[in-house]
Amino acid sequence: MGLKIGEKAPNFTLDSTSGKEFTLYDLGDEPCIIYFYPKDFTSVCTEQACSFRDEFGAFRDLGVTVIGISKDDIETHNRFKKEYNLPFELLADTKGKVAKLYDSLLPIVSIPKRNTFVLAGDKTIMDIQSDLTSGKSKIREVVENLTKKF
């Protein structure tokens, strides 16, 4: 089944590398990107995170918040964030509940899929990118599409 473009994104609350809980709807009318990924410090996930880092200025200029989510705990996320100078928050979905809510959890093995959701300010899903094999996840394309919309 899964979520579809045009639907409202489900709200959630998770622990964040900011040291506070992050609640999606607390962003108010701020657009955001939520990307799910399998595991910190793996080669493809590191490539993906660094791609978001490298495009972060464009997202910031558009007023778009970037959030990464995996099943890793906050301690691991903090090490990953520090080692790769990631300027955005990582959220700990240790039980995979939010990944499941976003149809971003592989059945049986319970590993997060590499899915990216682009949300408008009202938290309507504007775009969904799914890519299990590439860490870049068409991030440049996401930036270009957002530039046209904002």
Side-chain angles (χ1 to χ4, degrees):
M1 222 178 217
L3 298 172
K4 295 177 180 48
I5 293 173
E7 291 182 350
K8 199 79 144 171
N11 195 20
F12 62 85
T13 300
L14 289 172
D15 289 335
S16 168
T17 51
S18 70
K20 301 175 186 173
E21 285 188 332
F22 173 90
T23 300
L24 177 62
Y25 284 22
D26 284 354
L27 288 176
D29 62 357
E30 196 173 315
C32 68
I33 291 174
I34 301 169
Y35 80 93
F36 290 89
Y37 64 100
K39 190 152 183 60
D40 292 339
F41 295 105
T42 59
S43 62
V44 178
C45 294
T46 299
E47 178 185 350
Q48 181 182 27
C50 290
S51 293
F52 275 107
R53 177 201 63 206
D54 295 346
E55 295 294 343
F56 187 76
F59 293 124
R60 184 189 58 232
D61 292 348
L62 293 167
V64 177
T65 298
V66 176
I67 300 294
I69 300 176
S70 80
K71 290 178 70 175
D72 290 301
D73 60 27
I74 289 297
E75 182 180 322
T76 304
H77 278 332
N78 279 324
R79 286 194 326 267
F80 186 58
K81 185 175 174 172
K82 182 178 180 181
E83 183 161 333
Y84 293 100
N85 299 310
L86 304 178
F88 49 85
E89 297 305 319
L90 301 176
L91 307 183
D93 184 22
T94 56
K95 296 185 179 178
K97 291 181 179 180
V98 175
K100 187 174 183 179
L101 188 63
Y102 277 74
D103 192 33
S104 294
L105 196 63
L106 290 168
I108 301 170
V109 293
S110 293
I111 296 171
K113 298 176 187 178
R114 197 174 311 286
N115 287 340
T116 300
F117 295 84
V118 179
L119 308 181
D122 66 357
K123 305 309 172 262
T124 299
I125 300 169
M126 296 172 55
D127 190 21
I128 302 170
Q129 298 281 334
S130 297
D131 192 343
L132 292 175
T133 58
S134 172
K136 296 198 178 190
S137 296
K138 303 178 188 175
I139 294 168
R140 186 73 227 151
E141 183 181 321
V142 170
V143 171
E144 290 168 8
N145 288 340
L146 284 171
T147 302
K148 294 173 191 172
K149 294 179 182 181
F150 293 118

